[in-house]
Structures are given as C-alpha cells and as structure tokens.
Amino acid sequence: MKKEIFNEKFKQVFVPEIVGHNTEGKLKISKLLELITDDFYRQKIERHFGLQDVQDNYVVIGNVDTAYNYVKYITEKFEYLNYYAFSKNVETYMEQNEDNKQNEIYFVIDEPFNEEGEIVNQIIAKAEYDSVNMFYKEVELSKHINYLKKNGYTRPLESLNKAWKTEFLLNDKLNKRRNYRFVKDAGKLYLRSINSELYNEYGVAFAFVVGMLALDRLMRNEKGVNFSITSLSLNESKIDIIVSSNDSVYVEEIQSYISSSISIRNNDLGNKSLSFTNTLKITRQQNTEREIYIFPKVKEDINTKTIIRHSEGIEKVFATIDLINGIMDSSSEFVKTFKGFHKTNSYDELRAKIEEKLITNNSPFKGVKELRDLFKRSAVQSIDNLAKLLDMCGKAEMIDMDFDLKFKLRYLISNVLLYGKNNVE
C-alpha cells in the first residue's frame, strides 16, 4: 500500500492501485467490522445485516481488500475528538505559516466539555476545511473574516472577537452550544467542522462498512450479480467509492463496454453525509484501464440517488441504505438509455461545450492547463464520432488534479454527453 499518497494533510486523493492489480477480492466480515470502533454503531450494524453468527463469512467484492487497507490506514492515522462549547467561550486569532507564508486561523476554546458534561482543558486548534465559515456564518461575518485572513489583518480580527464576546454574554440567544469536531495528528489538534447538537457521526469507516455490507446482501439476494470497486478516493473525512457491475454491455458503435455502477460518497463535514447515486462506467476497448464515469440527473420518477443526513437517526439511515436495490435497478435502465446515444450529431459541438466551461474566467478548472489543452480544438483534431470524444474524456479522467475538481469534471462531462448542457454540479 502506498501510504505516501497521504503526505498532504486533509487532501482527498485517488488510490491509484484500486484497479489493474491482482487481489483476493474478498474480506472476512469480522475484519470489515473492525473499522467500526463505536460499540453502539457496531451492534446496530450487526443486528440490521444479521451478522451475529456469520462473521467468519466473506464479503466478496472485487478490490474490497485493497480498499479496506486504505480506509483502515487513513482512519487510524488520526484520532477523532468531539467536544461541545458555548459561543461566548470561543474566539479566533490569526498567525502566518512560516513555511508557506499563508495566513491561518486558530480557534481558542475555553471550558469545552464532553458528552458527559465534563469540562476539559482549554483547546487551541488550527482551523481546517470550512470551520471558520461555520463559526462566523451565525453572525453573517464569513466573507469579512475571509477578507481579514487574506490580507493578514490581525488587529481588526482581535477587535471583532472582543465585540462579539461581549454580545454573546449579553444576548443569550446568540450564545449557542455547538459540537466542535477535531482530529489529532502528531500531538496537534485541527478543527474540521462545527455542527449542531443533532449531529450524528457517520464517518468514512461507517460509509465503507455499510456500503460493502449492503452490496454484499444485494449480491446474495440477486444470484449472478457481482461487483468490483473500480474507483476510490478518500481522506480522513471524505470518501468516494464507485462500485461497478462485473457484467458489461459492448456497444460496437462507440467501441466501448458499458457497466452499471453505483457511487457511494460520504462527506463527514457538513449536514449531508452518505449518498448513493447510480452511474455508468464506460471502458474503451483500446484501453481497458481508462474508464469514464457518467452521472444522470436526479429525476423524481426514477430513483437515481438517495442522501442520508447527519441529523437522521441510525434506523432512518438503515432504511435509506436498504433502497440501494432500487438504485442499481435504475442504473440498469440507464445503460439501455445510453446505448442509443451514439446516434447524436455534432460531437465537436459537444467538445466545444466542455472547452467553453474550462476556459471561462470563473472556471473552477482554469488552473489545470493540461485539461484546457486537451479539449482545445486544433487543425488535426476532428471529433466526428462519439468514440473519439470518449477517448478525450478518458484522457481527462487520467489528469492529476484535486478530487473536488475531478468530481466537478465528471459531472460536467456527464451533463454535456447526456443533455448537451455544460453546467457543473
């Protein structure tokens, strides 16, 4: 396992060896459950999936053992800590990073307390992700704080904190009790999110375990159905898994194989947690390791996506997970729909729609020159059929970029190929 892919903290990265390598493709249930360290959740999972007497059995999903090793490593790399605090006891300060000269925000929390109400020592933690916005959003100051951070204005930040500290003391409605969620690495604390008291912890390990168990149950109930993990990206707070059917349909007109797939995503930072979305995996005949993922729009009459929120209780979570069968069924219908897409005209026009989104001034992709160059029209590049356009999209999938950009790119390509529109989700 290449641990060095996680050398940059808090960056969601792709696992390069999830496909194209020989693995057993199976994992003992008891080993999978070791990822769940919360006894309450583990007991609930065991009961819901009927695992009390079958833990010596195996989950048989292609690459599940490789994926397990990465999930285990990244979730054990950090210590996860949750504390509560009242707004009056929280303030921030700014400090410049000596290495990269970037201005960074730190939180100072007095009188934090645990779930039992026990007060612990003062906490000083570096802000990560969107935690600064989460704190100041309550008082409509997020943009202003980001402006102060960008310009290194420490004194205005100090004055602002003093003013609001007084306001929190005088106005009890503003003095909210909130859930401050940290990770600890090498003795240092990092604040990753601030949530309400209704927040439930459905993290990376939880998403992986229940996702694999749900698919394993589906395969046991639907004889002849088999899956493999074909894409995996993760960090300590986010995971994105694409699991594809091992059965594929060859479409001669585009010289490609199409497989129904399901995307399992978890973002453990905001209110939205687990999501299950149907997708297509397109594999070009000329390059079986260069895959393209196409996502449909969510439609009211077709169950293409389901979302579980952190505020929902565990029983509602399981009830939603049980809908995974319907999502896979709609994915099969999606395969049939896409097979006729090769009849679409003007593929260079579709290429141009993708290029247009890449080169606009406010494009999220403007920093990825290799991507812009790929979709640029040239005298020798005539996109006169879908196979050529798919080749181009496959090359785009191979470009090294931030995962959030990769995810937006997948939706951009999907919307252009399916609907002729270049909006980005």
Side-chain angles (χ1 to χ4, degrees), residues 232-251:
L232 173 67
S233 66
L234 74 166
N235 65 3
E236 88 299 333
S237 297
K238 303 177 187 178
I239 188 168
D240 185 290
I241 314 165
I242 295 182
V243 183
S244 303
S245 169
N246 291 337
D247 292 327
S248 59
V249 177
Y250 181 69
V251 181

Side-chain angles (χ1 to χ4, degrees), residues 158-213:
E158 291 171 0
S159 300
L160 190 66
N161 279 323
K162 288 178 182 178
W164 276 102
K165 196 175 184 73
T166 301
E167 192 64 27
F168 287 139
L169 289 169
L170 297 174
N171 189 340
D172 196 52
K173 289 183 179 179
L174 290 172
N175 184 31
K176 294 184 178 180
R177 165 177 156 155
R178 302 174 75 184
N179 183 355
Y180 292 77
R181 303 172 57 242
F182 307 87
V183 289
K184 189 175 184 180
D185 182 41
K188 295 182 179 180
L189 278 173
Y190 302 87
L191 178 61
R192 59 189 183 127
S193 73
I194 305 170
N195 302 96
S196 74
E197 295 186 81
L198 297 176
Y199 181 91
N200 293 297
E201 192 87 26
Y202 305 128
V204 168
F206 181 91
F208 180 71
V209 171
V210 299
M212 295 305 103
L213 290 173

Side-chain angles (χ1 to χ4, degrees), residues 116-337:
E116 287 72 38
E118 299 169 334
I119 296 176
V120 300
N121 294 332
Q122 182 191 70
I123 292 174
I124 299 177
K126 182 177 176 293
E128 292 294 341
Y129 297 116
D130 203 37
S131 56
V132 172
N133 290 335
M134 288 177 169
F135 181 71
Y136 285 104
K137 185 178 180 180
E138 290 285 318
V139 290
E140 302 292 337
L141 283 170
S142 296
K143 289 183 178 179
H144 183 56
I145 298 301
N146 287 325
Y147 170 77
L148 298 181
K149 177 185 174 184
K150 179 180 178 181
N151 293 280
Y153 294 147
T154 58
R155 286 188 295 274
L157 180 60
E158 291 171 0
S159 300
L160 190 66
N161 279 323
K162 288 178 182 178
W164 276 102
K165 196 175 184 73
T166 301
E167 192 64 27
F168 287 139
L169 289 169
L170 297 174
N171 189 340
D172 196 52
K173 289 183 179 179
L174 290 172
N175 184 31
K176 294 184 178 180
R177 165 177 156 155
R178 302 174 75 184
N179 183 355
Y180 292 77
R181 303 172 57 242
F182 307 87
V183 289
K184 189 175 184 180
D185 182 41
K188 295 182 179 180
L189 278 173
Y190 302 87
L191 178 61
R192 59 189 183 127
S193 73
I194 305 170
N195 302 96
S196 74
E197 295 186 81
L198 297 176
Y199 181 91
N200 293 297
E201 192 87 26
Y202 305 128
V204 168
F206 181 91
F208 180 71
V209 171
V210 299
M212 295 305 103
L213 290 173
L215 290 170
D216 178 67
R217 184 173 60 185
L218 174 61
M219 288 191 297
R220 293 178 189 277
N221 294 336
E222 304 272 348
K223 298 301 180 184
V225 176
N226 296 284
F227 299 107
S228 292
I229 298 173
T230 55
S231 177
L232 173 67
S233 66
L234 74 166
N235 65 3
E236 88 299 333
S237 297
K238 303 177 187 178
I239 188 168
D240 185 290
I241 314 165
I242 295 182
V243 183
S244 303
S245 169
N246 291 337
D247 292 327
S248 59
V249 177
Y250 181 69
V251 181
E252 186 174 353
E253 291 84 354
I254 58 175
Q255 301 167 23
S256 302
Y257 296 91
I258 299 179
S259 304
S260 58
S261 305
I262 186 167
S263 167
I264 304 172
R265 303 189 76 222
N266 179 75
N267 184 338
D268 198 31
L269 301 173
N271 185 37
K272 291 182 180 179
S273 180
L274 271 167
S275 68
F276 298 84
T277 309
N278 76 337
T279 180
L280 287 185
K281 177 171 71 78
I282 302 175
T283 307
R284 299 283 291 119
Q285 184 182 33
Q286 293 88 338
N287 192 332
T288 56
E289 290 190 12
R290 183 182 296 167
E291 294 159 345
I292 307 159
Y293 295 98
I294 304 296
F295 292 80
K297 286 183 178 178
V298 177
K299 297 181 179 179
E300 292 183 2
D301 58 332
I302 301 177
N303 184 23
T304 60
K305 185 174 184 176
T306 186
I307 295 174
I308 299 166
R309 298 182 181 276
H310 281 286
S311 56
E312 294 174 341
I314 189 70
E315 299 304 331
K316 179 67 179 295
V317 170
F318 287 139
T320 307
I321 289 171
D322 289 344
L323 299 174
I324 196 170
N325 293 39
I327 294 175
M328 286 307 300
D329 289 342
S330 64
S331 191
S332 299
E333 291 300 314
F334 190 23
V335 172
K336 296 177 185 177
T337 301

Side-chain angles (χ1 to χ4, degrees), residues 340-347 350 417:
F341 184 76
H342 67 273
K343 298 174 183 177
T344 300
N345 297 319
S346 189
Y347 298 105
L350 297 181
L417 293 183

